[in-house]
């Protein structure tokens, strides 16, 4: 009987299972798994098992699990650091894009003011434009992150994948607000100057 092994469970796992009559006369080893609630019970069980069966090998899976959790914790910290570094780089790229388009926005705002647009209308146009820019950037980044996480969880770690909705929403909204804030910050310079001063600076 061939079966798939679930390595995430701390129970005896075997790729193949045979009836007792097939391998009954072959050399074999008995494996027994138990769970205790305290360290004192663990010592007592191991001591009694070794006393009654001198050739037994006792393995504490709790220590193995702790070591595995420590390794996974370090891996998680590395992934979180890389994610934070990528987010920081993305924020710098976003701010750089806003700064690069600053002169163009100044010229457009000056033309709008020349045509009679109010300060509130100009800020509304800038907020709408940068909100769309931030939304596109957030959706693209979150979609790529979800696809990468699904691929790692499915093909590398072989564990179920679930989208963390709360962090995704926080990151998406934060990206949009950051883009809008940067856009409005560059737009305040236009509203403080007259259209003629803005066009002369160009």
């Amino acid at each position: 009987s061939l079966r798939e092994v679930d390595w995430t469970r701390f129970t005896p796992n075997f790729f193949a299972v045979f009836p007792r009559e097939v391998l009954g006369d072959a050399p074999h080893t008995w494996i027994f798994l138990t769970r205790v609630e305290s360290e004192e019970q663990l010592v007592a069980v191991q001591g009694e098992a070794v006393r009654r069966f001198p050739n037994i090998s006792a393995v504490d899976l709790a220590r193995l699990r702790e070591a595995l959790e420590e390794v996974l914790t370090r891996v998680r910290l590395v992934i979180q650091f890389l994610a934070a570094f990528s987010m920081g780089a993305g924020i710098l790229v976003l701010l750089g894009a806003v700064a690069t388009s600053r002169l163009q926005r100044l010229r457009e705002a000056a033309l709008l003011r020349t045509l009679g647009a109010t300060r509130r209308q100009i800020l509304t146009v800038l907020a709408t434009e940068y909100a769309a820019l931030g939304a596109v950037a957030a959706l693209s980044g979150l979609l790529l992150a979800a696809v990468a996480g699904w691929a790692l969880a499915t093909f590398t770690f072989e564990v179920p994948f679930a989208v963390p909705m709360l962090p995704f929403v926080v990151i998406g909204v934060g990206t949009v607000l950051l883009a809008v804030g940067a856009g409005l910050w560059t737009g305040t310079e236009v509203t403080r100057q007259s259209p003629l001063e803005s066009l002369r600076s160009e």
Side-chain angles (χ1 to χ4, degrees):
S1 175
L2 299 179
R3 65 193 185 101
E4 183 178 354
V5 176
D6 184 6
W7 296 107
T8 60
R9 298 176 55 197
F10 280 91
T11 55
N13 289 304
F14 300 96
F15 288 107
V17 179
F18 294 90
R20 181 188 300 269
E21 294 77 11
V22 176
L23 301 176
D25 296 332
H28 57 273
T29 301
W30 290 96
I31 297 179
F32 178 74
L33 184 68
T34 186
R35 180 176 181 177
V36 295
E37 300 297 334
S38 64
E39 191 73 22
E40 293 76 12
Q41 292 180 358
L42 174 63
V43 174
V45 170
Q46 288 183 343
E48 182 65 19
V50 172
R51 186 184 66 81
R52 297 181 60 181
F53 305 98
N55 63 338
I56 196 173
S57 298
V59 179
D60 188 1
L61 293 182
R63 301 293 178 266
L64 178 61
R65 184 178 60 185
E66 291 175 359
L68 181 60
E69 289 178 350
E70 182 179 357
V71 172
L72 293 179
T73 300
R74 293 180 179 178
V75 172
R76 184 173 66 251
L77 290 176
V78 171
I79 294 176
Q80 290 176 348
F81 172 76
L82 293 177
F85 180 79
S86 300
M87 289 180 58
I91 291 173
L92 292 179
V93 170
L94 179 62
L95 295 178
V98 172
T100 302
S101 62
R102 171 180 169 274
L103 296 179
Q104 180 181 357
R105 299 296 176 269
L106 291 175
R107 183 170 59 252
E108 292 175 354
L111 291 176
L112 290 175
R113 292 195 65 187
T114 303
L115 296 175
T118 63
R119 178 177 183 271
R120 181 176 181 179
Q121 289 174 336
I122 294 175
L123 293 179
T124 302
V125 170
L126 290 176
T128 304
E129 180 180 356
Y130 284 103
L133 176 63
V136 171
L139 289 177
S140 301
L142 293 176
L143 180 61
L144 291 176
V147 171
W150 170 81
L152 287 174
T154 303
F155 301 108
T156 302
F157 298 105
E158 297 183 356
V159 295
F161 174 73
V163 177
M165 295 304 300
L166 181 60
F168 269 42
V169 171
V170 172
I171 293 174
V173 173
T175 303
V176 174
L177 293 178
L178 179 63
V180 173
L184 293 180
W185 177 70
T186 59
T188 54
E189 182 178 354
V190 180
T191 58
R192 290 196 303 265
Q193 296 178 355
S194 64
L196 183 59
E197 291 178 352
S198 300
L199 293 175
R200 282 178 178 177
S201 64
E202 293 295 325

